[in-house]
Amino acid sequence: MSAKVWLVGAGPGDPELLTLKAVRALREAHVVLIDDLVNDAVLEHCPGARIIPVGKRGGCRSTPQAFIHRLMLRYARQGKCVVRLKGGDPCIFGRGGEEAQWLRERGVEVELVNGITAGLAGATQCDIPLTLRGVARGVTLVTAHTQDDSSLNWQALAQGGTTLVIYMGVAKLSEIREQLLAGAMAADTPVAMIENASLPHQRECRSNLMAMEDDACAFELKSPAILVIGAVAACDEIKRSQPSAAPTRVRHLSL
Ligand code: SAH
């Protein structure tokens, strides 16, 4: 029997942001290994499948990665169609790359299916265009959390001129602020902090680089949240403050 594992992105939370391909994979699945940031509502697409939670939900310890690898391999070798369902996109801070490699090295066919990553979804939900002509000519996705405590090149990030989208940053706000200020990013650079992006309980906190730690504390910002740092994080305010701008358009913006 053919062994196949689908590594599927479930998007940021809103079940309508699932791709049609993800739905097809779920429909075919015999077994679904589901991560903690996936909205259970997407499981309506695989009513007959065996669902195995492999995240930290309910305050349990996270399932060891080696165990997840072995589970996928075991079911695939039984000829089962396995879906490994991850929050957002499987290859953006989602270990999709390493899981695909591990499985392929053992002869298992793997197919990766994109999901909408939380950083892109969160910004869009808050009307923040991550790139904007004349304002931001690029976007950089980074994680504030590393397993090996290696550090980012904060100076390059501070001076790169791209919008920064920071994942796993809630517990690292102080360090992010200090490092970007030390890298000569302007203290009044706009910041948006977006919690539970695309879900009904989404919350957003607008601030700036200097004030973001205090503001996040007053707001009681909690994980999961993404940070958007750069001029675009205030672009809807810019829009509102332009008296001559037609109500509908960002393209009237010039900074
Ligand atoms: N693969 C995922 C990211 C996993 S890392 C993706 O592509 O989105 C986990 C981090 O993602 C969280 O700490 C948080 O920073 C971010 N995240 C995931 N879901 C989120 C959501 N609904 N709202 C805000 N941030 C989210």
Side-chain angles (χ1 to χ4, degrees):
M1 281 207 248
S2 73
K4 178 159 178 178
V5 176
W6 297 76
L7 300 176
V8 178
D14 177 352
E16 284 193 326
L17 291 177
L18 208 58
T19 65
L20 294 174
K21 196 160 189 177
V23 169
R24 179 161 70 81
L26 284 170
R27 286 207 183 115
E28 287 177 19
H30 300 112
V31 182
V32 178
L33 278 68
I34 182 168
D35 254 358
D36 55 352
L37 282 176
V38 175
N39 187 344
D40 286 345
V42 304
L43 298 178
E44 72 168 86
H45 300 293
C46 51
R50 174 164 187 200
I51 310 298
I52 305 176
V54 290
K56 309 178 219 181
R57 234 174 230 180
C60 304
R61 279 189 47 230
S62 132
T63 311
Q65 188 63 30
F67 180 73
I68 297 173
H69 281 166
R70 286 200 302 273
L71 264 187
M72 290 190 289
L73 184 62
R74 188 200 321 154
Y75 284 116
R77 284 190 172 158
Q78 289 171 4
K80 301 252 176 6
C81 175
V82 181
V83 167
R84 168 87 168 101
L85 195 58
K86 294 161 174 285
D89 186 275
C91 293
I92 300 291
F93 311 125
R95 299 192 170 185
E98 61 193 83
E99 289 181 6
Q101 186 186 349
W102 192 90
L103 289 163
R104 283 177 180 141
E105 280 170 2
R106 283 153 186 83
V108 177
E109 186 188 343
V110 175
E111 185 158 346
L112 287 150
V113 180
N114 282 118
I116 298 180
T117 189
L120 305 193
T124 303
Q125 298 299 317
C126 294
D127 274 343
I128 298 170
L130 291 175
T131 67
L132 187 61
R133 267 198 296 164
V135 179
R137 58 193 302 175
V139 52
T140 307
L141 309 184
V142 292
T143 173
H145 179 86
T146 53
Q147 247 174 3
D148 56 2
D149 275 338
S150 60
S151 88
L152 288 162
N153 184 343
W154 287 103
Q155 193 168 1
L157 292 173
Q159 294 173 17
T162 65
T163 304
L164 299 184
V165 177
I166 303 187
Y167 291 66
M168 292 173 264
V170 175
K172 304 262 181 176
L173 288 170
S174 174
E175 180 190 342
I176 294 166
R177 176 178 168 277
E178 292 315 312
Q179 296 282 5
L180 291 175
L181 288 170
M185 182 180 270
D188 63 354
T189 302
V191 174
M193 297 175 268
I194 305 151
E195 181 184 293
N196 288 309
S198 85
L199 289 161
H201 48 294
Q202 170 177 309
R203 299 194 306 150
E204 64 178 282
C205 173
R206 300 298 178 104
S207 183
N208 62 45
L209 184 58
M210 185 57 96
M212 70 180 202
E213 195 184 351
D214 289 346
D215 287 347
C217 185
F219 187 80
E220 297 184 12
L221 182 76
K222 293 193 183 58
S223 184
I226 51 129
L227 317 179
V228 178
I229 304 180
V232 293
C235 77
D236 46 345
E237 285 161 31
I238 299 165
K239 209 177 2 175
R240 282 197 293 274
S241 69
Q242 298 239 327
S244 60
T248 46
R249 272 2 315 156
V250 168
R251 79 183 118 85
H252 290 288
L253 270 178
S254 61
L255 283 187

